[in-house]
């Protein structure tokens, strides 16, 4: 599976507690394994994907007061897809 492609005003951290996969943070794709910690800066597009043959479980650490995520508009998707690696990664 995968998370939604989104961004928001708050910074958060994601701790992998099960399985493995990959994460898009901005224009970078990171390989994930158990106990990895990913920092997602504010206003940064991000999406997490489980490996094809393994689950991916994680905790998302944020402040109690936070904004709602913003989903990409058509122009956001076009800009993201300008990078072929990002285009191949995202699910929207």
């Amino acid at each position: 599976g995968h998370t939604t492609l989104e961004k928001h005003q708050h910074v958060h951290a994601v701790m992998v507690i099960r399985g493995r996969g990959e994460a898009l943070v901005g224009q970078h794709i990171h390989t994930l394994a158990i106990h990895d910690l990913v920092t997602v800066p504010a206003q940064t597009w991000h999406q997490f994907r489980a490996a094809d043959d393994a689950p991916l479980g994680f905790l998302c650490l944020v402040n109690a007061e936070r904004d709602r995520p913003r989903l990409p508009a058509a122009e956001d998707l076009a800009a993201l897809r300008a990078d072929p690696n990002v285009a191949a990664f995202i699910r929207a």
Side-chain angles (χ1 to χ4, degrees):
H2 57 86
T3 64
T4 56
L5 175 62
E6 62 186 35
K7 70 177 179 178
H8 26 71
Q9 295 177 20
H10 62 271
V11 174
H12 66 284
V14 177
M15 167 74 74
V16 178
I17 59 171
R18 179 177 180 217
R20 56 193 172 79
E22 294 180 306
L24 170 70
V25 180
Q27 296 290 318
H28 304 282
I29 299 169
H30 305 276
T31 301
L32 302 175
I34 194 164
H35 300 141
D36 283 348
L37 180 64
V38 179
T39 300
V40 179
Q43 297 299 338
T44 303
W45 292 112
H46 57 282
Q47 184 171 50
F48 292 81
R49 284 184 28 199
D52 290 338
D53 62 346
L56 179 63
F58 55 85
L59 298 174
C60 193
L61 310 163
V62 297
N63 289 334
E65 294 182 24
R66 60 190 180 274
D67 63 306
R68 305 223 12 114
R70 183 168 85 78
L71 302 178
E75 60 271 10
D76 299 316
L77 286 172
L80 286 163
R81 289 181 173 140
D83 180 323
N85 292 324
V86 173
F89 181 87
I90 60 175
R91 303 288 185 262

